[in-house]
Amino acid sequence: MGSQIKDVKIPPNSPTQLSLVKHADFIAAYGKKKDDYEYCITEFLRMSGVYWGLTSMFLMNKQEMMDKDDVIEFVKSCQHENGGFSASHNHDPHLLYTLSAIQILSLYGCIDLIDVEKTVEYVSKLQQADGSFVGDKWGEIDTRFSFCAFASLKLLGRLDAVDLQKAVQYILSCMNFDGGFGCRPGSESHSGQIYCCLGALAIADSLHYVNADMLGWWLCERQLPSGGLNGRPEKLPDVCYSWWVLASLRIIGKLHWIDKDKLRSYILACQDEETGGFADRPGDMVDPFHTLFGLAG
Amino acid sequence: MHGRIKVRTTAEQAEAKRKEREKKLKIYKETTSRIYEKRNNGEMDKESLSLSEQVLAANPDFSTLWNFRREIFLHMKNENPPDVMQDLCQKELFFLKNCLQVNPKSYSVWHHRQWIMEFMPQPDWKEELQLCNKFLSYDARNFHCWDYRRYTAQKAHVSPDDEFNFSTEKIKENFSNYSSWHYRSKLLPLIHPDQSGDKERVEEGALMKEFDLAQNAFFTDPYDQSAWFYHRWLLGRARPQMEILRLYARYDETLATIIVHFTQPIQAPKEDPVVSFGEQEVTGEWHNSFHNNHPSTVLDILLCGHCVFA
Ligand SMILES: [Zn+2]
């Protein structure tokens, strides 16, 4: 019994042009829907949401459509006593949102507005004896957090604050038979996780440990006949993987192993021409997360 | 947001939907602000548990509320005997199971489940394994569940052999189970180690059986990627001996360099190399091209040119 390849068909009337003006409007409007149910229930990731929106605006050179002072005030107000940042007010600090906060301030070039030393201390204290990183004091370990820590400290110019060698060894212990990486030692390879691990290794000048041919093969097999990329074998394509997979291929120098034109038409087909924004697949609901990764791709 | 299809609605439907959302939002906002208030007042009671349960049931990624629940559990532990705590934790596991039915891919829910299992007085890890089996039967590729299963199997002292058999079973159900092929690649070197002692290598007989299984899979379904990747892994297991491939010497009056190309990456040795030029012995320094301590297949020996040609 041969299984069908899991993929989507791009509808014939799908968008083929990039509608930048619509996307900027979509992002700008999203930030103003403070009384919308969907908006409110995603408060737990607000800091990252702001980062996705702002980065999209910077990519489109429309950053003036977001109120810089408001954004910076919000970021500053989310820093806690221990140096970490939370997603929003009344939420607890976490490494994920600490990175987003640092990224936002770096985009604006005003990292000195916060207590950098305290932030460095917060991040470095999350490293464990085996080199791994927990996301917060509750102990969840994940290679995503290794990347968050490396990227945060790199942006703060303080990579010296953690044990890089041990952290690299931990990431390498998450390497798999297909050359990819998972959340923890023993976990299956996943494109998002691979991006995090490659990003971290690149920051630590340790890419020579990666089997680039093997991993490049696995990554380029993510492309489906529709042109879209999936995150793991036998899964549906999704716009956000245009970023995770493309950036990973770029890091290991194998970007030319996929069909760029086909991917471009897939990404364009995921736009919503009425509302602006990108969805994961053609015809699905749009959101800021996929809008950023569509644009970045 | 993943896999949510955009549906077209009439103005009437849209209005009804808007009203419903408005109502939901009001309740949501009231409940969350009540929780924040109680947390700020340090009210770690049953009401806090039930209020946060209401929100988490609909929004399981609201991680701060899971943190609050853990604070409450830690607090209650000081005030209640173990049997009461056991009971509370059982209830929490039941609630978590319901959350997983709705959202089986929530990082926060799986992590909280692990935390509760570690926290409760008498955890039943064997039963947890059954829960994992159940969720893998709904979705054989749920990597959260596979990860939790690996953790649970270790806690329940399940042998790697039994886990290997489980992986075989899953593959026989459906060859296209990449997660299960992945798991085999981790277990195989554990249960069939090569006599050489190399942890990455697998004993020959076991290897042959795996080739058969993989071939069976891609004869059945040549378009499935899983078995091909596994096959490639089985093939690529030879590792070159550590040897010097070539040496290259370069010098001028100030500096002499010997470039050494190895078959495998190696870290620059801490001990300084001593190079003999006829009668004369000169001490140099090992470096990779970046002058850091990262392993590399190419290392340089730097020698002072004046010393060499003195
Ligand atoms: Zn996505």
Side-chain angles (χ1 to χ4, degrees), chain A residues 185-241:
Chain A
S187 307
E188 181 183 341
S189 298
H190 178 287
S191 302
Q193 229 74 37
I194 290 171
Y195 166 79
C196 288
C197 291
L198 289 181
L201 293 175
I203 291 172
D205 292 327
S206 299
L207 283 173
H208 57 279
Y209 292 114
V210 175
N211 184 343
D213 287 336
M214 186 74 167
L215 180 54
W217 176 38
W218 190 89
L219 285 167
C220 75
E221 290 287 351
R222 297 307 104 240
Q223 189 161 38
L224 295 160
S226 65
L229 307 174
N230 62 13
R232 292 190 283 156
E234 325 305 335
K235 290 280 180 182
L236 284 171
D238 178 342
V239 154
C240 62
Y241 293 112

Side-chain angles (χ1 to χ4, degrees), chain A residues 238 240 280 289-290, chain B residues 2:
Chain A
D238 178 342
C240 62
D280 56 349
F289 176 79
H290 289 95
Chain B
H2 283 120

Side-chain angles (χ1 to χ4, degrees), chain A:
Chain A
M1 177 198 68
S3 63
Q4 286 264 302
I5 296 177
K6 288 203 180 103
D7 197 4
V8 294
K9 275 232 152 26
I10 296 181
N13 54 350
S14 298
T16 52
Q17 298 292 321
L18 186 60
S19 23
L20 282 182
V21 178
K22 286 264 179 188
H23 298 320
D25 289 343
F26 168 73
I27 295 289
Y30 190 85
K32 296 199 174 80
K33 292 193 295 186
K34 301 238 150 71
D35 287 315
D36 184 75
Y37 180 69
E38 290 291 338
Y39 184 86
C40 288
I41 61 164
T42 55
E43 191 184 68
F44 66 84
L45 53 69
R46 185 69 63 238
M47 187 67 75
S48 296
V50 172
Y51 167 70
W52 300 328
L54 188 64
T55 308
S56 301
M57 290 300 208
F58 267 93
L59 283 173
M60 296 183 286
N61 205 13
K62 288 277 191 306
Q63 59 272 27
E64 75 284 352
M65 284 175 76
M66 280 169 85
D67 189 325
K68 182 177 171 182
D69 295 337
D70 275 5
V71 171
I72 292 175
E73 212 32 65
F74 170 73
V75 172
K76 276 166 68 183
S77 70
C78 289
Q79 187 166 30
H80 290 246
E81 199 50 42
N82 63 6
F85 288 80
S86 56
S88 186
H89 306 138
N90 287 312
H91 291 249
D92 294 343
H94 194 282
L95 188 49
L96 287 170
Y97 308 113
T98 302
L99 172 60
S100 293
I102 294 170
Q103 285 171 316
I104 293 168
L105 298 178
S106 302
L107 279 171
Y108 282 133
C110 56
I111 201 74
D112 44 333
L113 290 179
I114 53 155
D115 189 337
V116 169
E117 254 333 287
K118 263 195 150 176
T119 315
V120 170
E121 196 190 317
Y122 174 77
V123 175
S124 56
K125 275 189 177 162
L126 295 173
Q127 189 172 30
Q128 305 298 295
D130 63 357
S132 67
F133 283 84
V134 289
D136 64 10
K137 65 172 182 172
W138 295 104
E140 189 185 0
I141 291 173
D142 195 310
T143 45
R144 285 180 301 150
F145 305 145
S146 301
F147 172 73
C148 290
F150 278 32
S152 298
L153 294 174
K154 175 78 182 177
L155 287 169
L156 297 174
R158 287 299 313 276
L159 273 177
D160 58 285
V162 290
D163 189 334
L164 272 191
Q165 290 292 40
K166 259 197 170 163
V168 165
Q169 285 310 317
Y170 180 79
I171 293 172
L172 295 176
S173 74
C174 301
M175 202 194 275
N176 290 324
F177 78 113
D178 45 27
F181 297 85
C183 302
R184 286 174 288 277
S187 307
E188 181 183 341
S189 298
H190 178 287
S191 302
Q193 229 74 37
I194 290 171
Y195 166 79
C196 288
C197 291
L198 289 181
L201 293 175
I203 291 172
D205 292 327
S206 299
L207 283 173
H208 57 279
Y209 292 114
V210 175
N211 184 343
D213 287 336
M214 186 74 167
L215 180 54
W217 176 38
W218 190 89
L219 285 167
C220 75
E221 290 287 351
R222 297 307 104 240
Q223 189 161 38
L224 295 160
S226 65
L229 307 174
N230 62 13
R232 292 190 283 156
E234 325 305 335
K235 290 280 180 182
L236 284 171
D238 178 342
V239 154
C240 62
Y241 293 112
S242 330
W243 173 253
W244 307 122
V245 176
L246 272 188
S248 299
L249 283 166
R250 173 75 181 75
I251 293 173
I252 57 170
K254 309 275 186 225
L255 201 51
H256 55 291
W257 284 14
I258 61 155
D259 185 333
K260 273 186 213 169
D261 295 329
K262 278 194 108 174
L263 175 60
R264 192 175 294 133
S265 51
Y266 176 84
I267 297 177
L268 290 172
C270 291
Q271 298 176 103
D272 187 324
E273 281 181 316
E274 291 166 4
T275 60
F278 288 79
D280 56 349
R281 288 182 271 281
D284 279 6
M285 298 278 281
V286 296
D287 64 69
F289 176 79
H290 289 95
T291 302
L292 169 60
F293 293 116
L295 288 169

